[in-house]
Amino acid sequence: MSLPKSNLTPEEIAFFHREGYLVIDRLLEESELAFAREVYDRIFEARTGREEGNEFDLAGADEDEKPAALPQILSPARYAPEFETLKARDRALAITRQLLGEDAFFSGDHAILKPAGYGAETPWHQDEAYWDEASHYNAVSVWIPFQEATQENGCLHFIPGSHLWELKPHHPIGNDPRVHGLEVDQVDPSGAVVCPLKAGGATIHHSRTMHYAGPNRTQGVRRAYIMVFQTPARKLEQPHDFYWWKSRTTTREKRAQAYKEKQG
Ligand code: NI
């Protein structure tokens, strides 16, 4: 596979390793934006992946009859292969290889929608709290808004240098075991930086970087598409204890289980 050239400067690479995040002015081409939005809106309107447990409310109890406070779709490119054709995907991989190493690969994607006027906040968290407690990761999330992302509609905030922290204890949002989304137990966000972006720009953050997105207080939807890249994970001799998974009883897991059984 031949990748487009990534030309991060040595200063940008050093910034990422020091601060734990990086802002890219343009990742998705202007000409791809309308198409990307159309595909995105189509799968959210259809609640694509719900039966498999891949579409759910990240911040609420995820009841069928209630509108989701923070709709999320896991692996959207599985349902909408159009996402695989975006030039931004190869470009993001090339950038990631400059940051993490030549063995970095695409390991998944997801999409988080903040509906106009009420999309809930995404509380402070480290992405690794969602992942395998027995693995050590070297990974980044590439976060691309398909319209402008502002402090008012829910752009990302980062705590500089937090990628060097240990993984912090997390709990389900609102301490509600029905909620899939996680929130760190304690954090001081006073040194956080806010990263507004133009449509098709991107932020890149390390899997340990503490981050947050506010609620959507605007009358437009906030679409974010996220690609995750990593180098091969290493098994930990002493696994972490992600006890916050154990008390969890989400309808998403129930749907995923029922779907698996139906497939036999
Ligand atoms: Ni996150």
Side-chain angles (χ1 to χ4, degrees), residues 125 127 205 211:
H125 67 280
D127 290 338
H205 64 269
H211 58 289

Side-chain angles (χ1 to χ4, degrees), residues 4-210:
K5 249 192 124 35
S6 163
N7 43 13
L8 293 182
T9 63
E11 289 74 25
E12 286 172 312
I13 296 170
F15 182 93
F16 172 80
H17 289 298
R18 190 177 66 242
E19 307 292 330
Y21 71 95
L22 189 64
V23 177
I24 306 285
D25 285 334
R26 170 151 304 284
L27 191 67
L28 198 70
E29 289 187 16
E30 188 83 46
S31 60
E32 292 182 305
L33 268 173
F35 173 68
R37 275 198 289 264
E38 200 182 291
V39 175
Y40 195 99
D41 291 348
R42 187 185 78 216
I43 59 171
F44 273 100
E45 261 160 48
R47 305 193 77 169
T48 303
R50 185 152 183 87
E51 198 191 353
E52 294 100 307
N54 283 338
E55 190 271 2
F56 54 92
D57 188 353
L58 181 59
D62 196 29
E63 291 149 306
D64 279 326
E65 59 282 0
K66 278 196 197 154
L70 192 57
Q72 170 158 356
I73 296 178
L74 302 182
S75 306
R78 262 182 49 195
Y79 306 107
E82 291 95 328
F83 286 131
E84 288 177 14
T85 69
L86 298 176
K87 293 189 182 77
R89 183 150 154 158
D90 284 347
R91 216 173 264 166
L93 176 59
I95 290 172
T96 298
R97 287 189 172 166
Q98 273 194 289
L99 296 174
L100 300 183
E102 280 304 308
D103 53 348
F105 58 93
F106 173 87
S107 64
D109 61 345
H110 56 118
I112 304 177
L113 173 72
K114 289 195 195 280
Y118 69 87
E121 70 168 6
T122 316
W124 287 102
H125 67 280
Q126 293 166 298
D127 290 338
E128 271 182 51
Y130 284 94
W131 300 354
D132 173 23
E133 63 182 0
S135 293
H136 175 82
Y137 291 100
N138 182 34
V140 293
S141 291
V142 179
W143 190 96
I144 311 168
F146 287 171
Q147 72 298 299
E148 194 182 20
T150 63
Q151 197 159 359
E152 291 69 41
N153 75 358
C155 69
L156 287 185
H157 302 220
F158 300 108
I159 297 186
S162 54
H163 62 307
L164 302 173
W165 297 356
E166 288 301 306
L167 198 88
K168 303 269 187 196
H170 286 64
H171 58 267
I173 296 171
N175 273 314
D176 183 339
R178 298 173 302 167
V179 177
H180 175 88
L182 292 173
E183 174 174 21
V184 70
D185 286 2
Q186 267 185 326
V187 73
D188 171 12
S190 56
V193 292
V194 186
C195 288
L197 289 169
K198 289 193 204 107
T203 52
I204 300 178
H205 64 269
H206 186 268
S207 47
R208 289 247 171 128
T209 305
M210 192 66 74

Side-chain angles (χ1 to χ4, degrees), residues 226-243:
I226 301 111
M227 291 181 278
V228 180
F229 299 88
Q230 63 171 93
T231 59
R234 177 166 60 73
K235 280 286 161 208
L236 288 169
E237 271 169 40
Q238 289 285 328
H240 298 288
D241 179 10
F242 290 178
Y243 54 85

